[in-house]
Amino acid sequence: MGTISHEEAAILECVMKNNTEVKKAVLEVQQIIEQLATEQAVEPPQFLKAEIMKKIEFGNPETTTAKIIPLNKEQSETGKPSSMPNWIKAASVAVLFGLGYLGYELNSKNTELQQIATNNTELSTKLTDLEQMNALLKNAKRIQLKGVEKHPDMLAEVYWDDSKKVYLDIKNLPAAPTGKQYQLWAIVEGKPVDMGIYDQQKDANKMQAMKSVDNPQAFAITLEKEGGNPTPTMEEMYVMGTI
């Protein structure tokens, strides 16, 4: 209806070609405008046609040269847009608000879809972890490490599977103080073997993979300096369990 620039109209047409929802919304608004125009149309009086016919001059073609009047004459002469009924203006504003709201809804839906995709990825990762954990629990030997005399209520578990891999699950050991870390040991032929440091920064609800070992006789956990020690500090042993 000439209420937007050519650039805006071109953009809208492009969006309509590539987005069926926007096209449907524009067509619905157009139908509403047409319906309003039909309902508010005023039928001209019957005598008007006769008056118009009286003013039409039928003469020689030389004397009846038609004068071409541009449709937007008023706008070209004054530089101002031609007036239009208020209901059309209101409908135009409704179209703009409707398109704006539709764009907002589409953006919101796109954000929701992205969030759903992210959640699905996280759930898929958790499901894979659970499947791996289930396979581990079925095929591995569970060794319960109970608290020693100084820490009677402490508890941890070690899972050792046929591939010699070791997984540590710390149940209720307190958080290691600053500058300290828990270190797992395996007893092989009566000697302690370093099995690695427990990283308490990782998910506490997940078992952590440690070093592999062959033919362990027992496992124990000590509290060592950050980074670990080549030999265990026996005075700082928390839990121990034999196979």
PDB file of all heavy atoms in Angstrom, residues 229-242:
ATOM      1  N   ASN A 229      53.881 -38.740  45.423  1.00  0.00           N
ATOM      2  CA  ASN A 229      55.188 -39.171  45.921  1.00  0.00           C
ATOM      3  C   ASN A 229      55.576 -40.495  45.276  1.00  0.00           C
ATOM      4  O   ASN A 229      54.699 -41.280  44.883  1.00  0.00           O
ATOM      5  CB  ASN A 229      55.154 -39.358  47.447  1.00  0.00           C
ATOM      6  CG  ASN A 229      55.462 -38.059  48.188  1.00  0.00           C
ATOM      7  OD1 ASN A 229      56.265 -37.257  47.722  1.00  0.00           O
ATOM      8  ND2 ASN A 229      54.829 -37.876  49.337  1.00  0.00           N
ATOM      9  N   PRO A 230      56.876 -40.764  45.175  1.00  0.00           N
ATOM     10  CA  PRO A 230      57.309 -42.059  44.627  1.00  0.00           C
ATOM     11  C   PRO A 230      57.043 -43.212  45.581  1.00  0.00           C
ATOM     12  O   PRO A 230      56.918 -44.358  45.155  1.00  0.00           O
ATOM     13  CB  PRO A 230      58.811 -41.861  44.393  1.00  0.00           C
ATOM     14  CG  PRO A 230      59.211 -40.770  45.338  1.00  0.00           C
ATOM     15  CD  PRO A 230      58.019 -39.862  45.426  1.00  0.00           C
ATOM     16  N   THR A 231      56.943 -42.919  46.864  1.00  0.00           N
ATOM     17  CA  THR A 231      56.638 -43.944  47.877  1.00  0.00           C
ATOM     18  C   THR A 231      55.534 -43.416  48.789  1.00  0.00           C
ATOM     19  O   THR A 231      55.444 -42.199  49.038  1.00  0.00           O
ATOM     20  CB  THR A 231      57.871 -44.280  48.725  1.00  0.00           C
ATOM     21  OG1 THR A 231      58.376 -43.076  49.334  1.00  0.00           O
ATOM     22  CG2 THR A 231      58.962 -44.906  47.856  1.00  0.00           C
ATOM     23  N   PRO A 232      54.692 -44.289  49.325  1.00  0.00           N
ATOM     24  CA  PRO A 232      53.576 -43.832  50.150  1.00  0.00           C
ATOM     25  C   PRO A 232      54.009 -43.355  51.534  1.00  0.00           C
ATOM     26  O   PRO A 232      54.970 -43.872  52.112  1.00  0.00           O
ATOM     27  CB  PRO A 232      52.685 -45.079  50.257  1.00  0.00           C
ATOM     28  CG  PRO A 232      53.633 -46.221  50.102  1.00  0.00           C
ATOM     29  CD  PRO A 232      54.685 -45.754  49.134  1.00  0.00           C
ATOM     30  N   THR A 233      53.272 -42.356  52.037  1.00  0.00           N
ATOM     31  CA  THR A 233      53.452 -41.892  53.417  1.00  0.00           C
ATOM     32  C   THR A 233      52.510 -42.711  54.295  1.00  0.00           C
ATOM     33  O   THR A 233      51.296 -42.464  54.319  1.00  0.00           O
ATOM     34  CB  THR A 233      53.135 -40.391  53.531  1.00  0.00           C
ATOM     35  OG1 THR A 233      53.953 -39.677  52.598  1.00  0.00           O
ATOM     36  CG2 THR A 233      53.385 -39.897  54.945  1.00  0.00           C
ATOM     37  N   MET A 234      53.038 -43.691  54.981  1.00  0.00           N
ATOM     38  CA  MET A 234      52.209 -44.641  55.711  1.00  0.00           C
ATOM     39  C   MET A 234      51.379 -43.974  56.790  1.00  0.00           C
ATOM     40  O   MET A 234      50.258 -44.403  57.080  1.00  0.00           O
ATOM     41  CB  MET A 234      53.089 -45.735  56.323  1.00  0.00           C
ATOM     42  CG  MET A 234      53.947 -46.498  55.307  1.00  0.00           C
ATOM     43  SD  MET A 234      52.966 -47.206  53.969  1.00  0.00           S
ATOM     44  CE  MET A 234      52.009 -48.411  54.862  1.00  0.00           C
ATOM     45  N   GLU A 235      51.939 -42.889  57.393  1.00  0.00           N
ATOM     46  CA  GLU A 235      51.189 -42.198  58.454  1.00  0.00           C
ATOM     47  C   GLU A 235      49.947 -41.505  57.918  1.00  0.00           C
ATOM     48  O   GLU A 235      49.044 -41.133  58.687  1.00  0.00           O
ATOM     49  CB  GLU A 235      52.085 -41.153  59.146  1.00  0.00           C
ATOM     50  CG  GLU A 235      53.284 -41.732  59.893  1.00  0.00           C
ATOM     51  CD  GLU A 235      54.424 -42.081  58.945  1.00  0.00           C
ATOM     52  OE1 GLU A 235      54.323 -41.763  57.737  1.00  0.00           O
ATOM     53  OE2 GLU A 235      55.413 -42.682  59.396  1.00  0.00           O
ATOM     54  N   GLU A 236      49.878 -41.309  56.583  1.00  0.00           N
ATOM     55  CA  GLU A 236      48.737 -40.613  55.974  1.00  0.00           C
ATOM     56  C   GLU A 236      47.851 -41.557  55.168  1.00  0.00           C
ATOM     57  O   GLU A 236      47.151 -41.145  54.252  1.00  0.00           O
ATOM     58  CB  GLU A 236      49.252 -39.485  55.061  1.00  0.00           C
ATOM     59  CG  GLU A 236      49.922 -38.342  55.783  1.00  0.00           C
ATOM     60  CD  GLU A 236      48.938 -37.542  56.621  1.00  0.00           C
ATOM     61  OE1 GLU A 236      47.714 -37.620  56.354  1.00  0.00           O
ATOM     62  OE2 GLU A 236      49.391 -36.866  57.553  1.00  0.00           O
ATOM     63  N   MET A 237      47.884 -42.860  55.566  1.00  0.00           N
ATOM     64  CA  MET A 237      47.006 -43.802  54.871  1.00  0.00           C
ATOM     65  C   MET A 237      45.580 -43.660  55.391  1.00  0.00           C
ATOM     66  O   MET A 237      45.360 -43.551  56.612  1.00  0.00           O
ATOM     67  CB  MET A 237      47.502 -45.246  55.072  1.00  0.00           C
ATOM     68  CG  MET A 237      46.648 -46.268  54.338  1.00  0.00           C
ATOM     69  SD  MET A 237      47.240 -47.975  54.590  1.00  0.00           S
ATOM     70  CE  MET A 237      48.805 -47.911  53.750  1.00  0.00           C
ATOM     71  N   TYR A 238      44.616 -43.664  54.466  1.00  0.00           N
ATOM     72  CA  TYR A 238      43.208 -43.479  54.839  1.00  0.00           C
ATOM     73  C   TYR A 238      42.422 -44.787  54.723  1.00  0.00           C
ATOM     74  O   TYR A 238      41.622 -45.126  55.616  1.00  0.00           O
ATOM     75  CB  TYR A 238      42.567 -42.403  53.972  1.00  0.00           C
ATOM     76  CG  TYR A 238      42.770 -41.002  54.498  1.00  0.00           C
ATOM     77  CD1 TYR A 238      44.035 -40.431  54.511  1.00  0.00           C
ATOM     78  CD2 TYR A 238      41.711 -40.261  55.002  1.00  0.00           C
ATOM     79  CE1 TYR A 238      44.237 -39.142  54.989  1.00  0.00           C
ATOM     80  CE2 TYR A 238      41.908 -38.975  55.505  1.00  0.00           C
ATOM     81  CZ  TYR A 238      43.168 -38.410  55.496  1.00  0.00           C
ATOM     82  OH  TYR A 238      43.348 -37.140  55.996  1.00  0.00           O
ATOM     83  N   VAL A 239      42.576 -45.496  53.599  1.00  0.00           N
ATOM     84  CA  VAL A 239      41.796 -46.720  53.408  1.00  0.00           C
ATOM     85  C   VAL A 239      42.703 -47.791  52.768  1.00  0.00           C
ATOM     86  O   VAL A 239      43.706 -47.461  52.124  1.00  0.00           O
ATOM     87  CB  VAL A 239      40.572 -46.496  52.493  1.00  0.00           C
ATOM     88  CG1 VAL A 239      39.537 -45.621  53.162  1.00  0.00           C
ATOM     89  CG2 VAL A 239      41.001 -45.887  51.159  1.00  0.00           C
ATOM     90  N   MET A 240      42.265 -49.062  52.927  1.00  0.00           N
ATOM     91  CA  MET A 240      43.028 -50.170  52.343  1.00  0.00           C
ATOM     92  C   MET A 240      42.085 -51.373  52.169  1.00  0.00           C
ATOM     93  O   MET A 240      41.159 -51.557  52.948  1.00  0.00           O
ATOM     94  CB  MET A 240      44.199 -50.553  53.218  1.00  0.00           C
ATOM     95  CG  MET A 240      45.087 -51.645  52.630  1.00  0.00           C
ATOM     96  SD  MET A 240      46.557 -51.942  53.670  1.00  0.00           S
ATOM     97  CE  MET A 240      47.349 -53.232  52.720  1.00  0.00           C
ATOM     98  N   GLY A 241      42.342 -52.151  51.121  1.00  0.00           N
ATOM     99  CA  GLY A 241      41.528 -53.349  50.880  1.00  0.00           C
ATOM    100  C   GLY A 241      42.337 -54.383  50.116  1.00  0.00           C
ATOM    101  O   GLY A 241      43.104 -54.070  49.228  1.00  0.00           O
ATOM    102  N   THR A 242      42.161 -55.635  50.518  1.00  0.00           N
ATOM    103  CA  THR A 242      42.884 -56.747  49.867  1.00  0.00           C
ATOM    104  C   THR A 242      41.974 -57.443  48.858  1.00  0.00           C
ATOM    105  O   THR A 242      40.747 -57.374  48.928  1.00  0.00           O
ATOM    106  CB  THR A 242      43.366 -57.751  50.911  1.00  0.00           C
ATOM    107  OG1 THR A 242      42.225 -58.254  51.623  1.00  0.00           O
ATOM    108  CG2 THR A 242      44.316 -57.098  51.876  1.00  0.00           C
TER     109      THR A 242
END
